[in-house]
Amino acid sequence: MVNAQAGGQWYPPEWPVRIRALAEGTLTPVPAKRAATVMLLRDAGDGCAVHMLRRSASMAFAGGAYAYPGGGVDPRDDDHHVRWAGPPRAWWADRLGVEETDAQAIVCAAVRETYEEAGVLLAGPTPDSVVGDTTGADWEADRAALVERRTSFAEFLDRRGLVLRSDLLGAWTRWITPEFEPRRYDTWFFVAALPEGQRTRNASTEADRTVWIAPREAAAAYDRGELLMMPPTIATLRQLAAYPAAAQALDAASARDLTPVLATARLEEEKIVLSWPGHDEFTQHIPTGGAPA
């Protein structure tokens, strides 16, 4: 079950109890797992569109909310040799604020999740190419093996003789799940343009719908309470709305600040004040026994 306040912000009903327990020192935060998500863009008419999926209502985390393809990092991708195009691992490590092995695994997660959940593969047989159609039975068998974690993404690339195209990604922002959440992720958000010749599809078992939508249109639907989203999703949509073309968003990524965004909570009289630094629109005043005011 999820709740939504004004607009379409995702709001779990158990937040007040967990926030108070954290403030009182009776709740120990769980470690945040590394994750990556990709805002896949394409040019459409008078602007760009972003690929979004709606998480199935049965999902334990953010069921019914709109999001981007993404998921956890596979530690098997930390140090396996990967054919690599684009900025070297050392550059990515500096950009993402992690060690080189972590950087490789995070970039692999971004590319893998885009393939697993959207059927789009940012890799090719050479450093300046991408694969074409990935809808054949052999590709689907490989995708299923990745989803089921029977093989790592690094192993998949190696067996296929593919080069990972890190140059097709731009690191956009980084959000860490609040400390009071039972499931926590340290998530790097990337942007990428849909490669020529490839098509998206709803390949995810976690989504019941996918759409291509203009960021401004999606944000307006959120404001009307029609689309449910978590703070990082609507925040990035508002940022993307400033760019009329996918290439412009990709160019802008290199200058983006990747300082992690982590929500903070404090007790004020009979309310909990929940805020995300730099994102005032998400500030909530939560009565300790009720929904946000």
Side-chain angles (χ1 to χ4, degrees), residues 257-291:
D257 182 7
L258 295 187
T259 301
V261 178
L262 175 64
T264 60
R266 67 181 187 276
L267 293 172
E268 285 188 2
E269 298 178 351
E270 298 302 316
K271 290 184 179 180
I272 297 165
V273 179
L274 179 61
S275 60
W276 279 259
H279 298 272
D280 292 343
E281 75 164 293
F282 304 129
T283 298
Q284 299 180 14
H285 295 79
I286 307 173
T288 53

Side-chain angles (χ1 to χ4, degrees), residues 147-166:
V147 171
E148 296 166 9
R149 298 297 182 261
R150 288 186 279 112
T151 188
S152 73
F153 191 64
E155 293 166 342
F156 159 76
L157 292 173
D158 186 49
R159 186 173 59 78
R160 284 271 182 179
L162 295 175
V163 180
L164 185 147
R165 294 289 306 277
S166 81

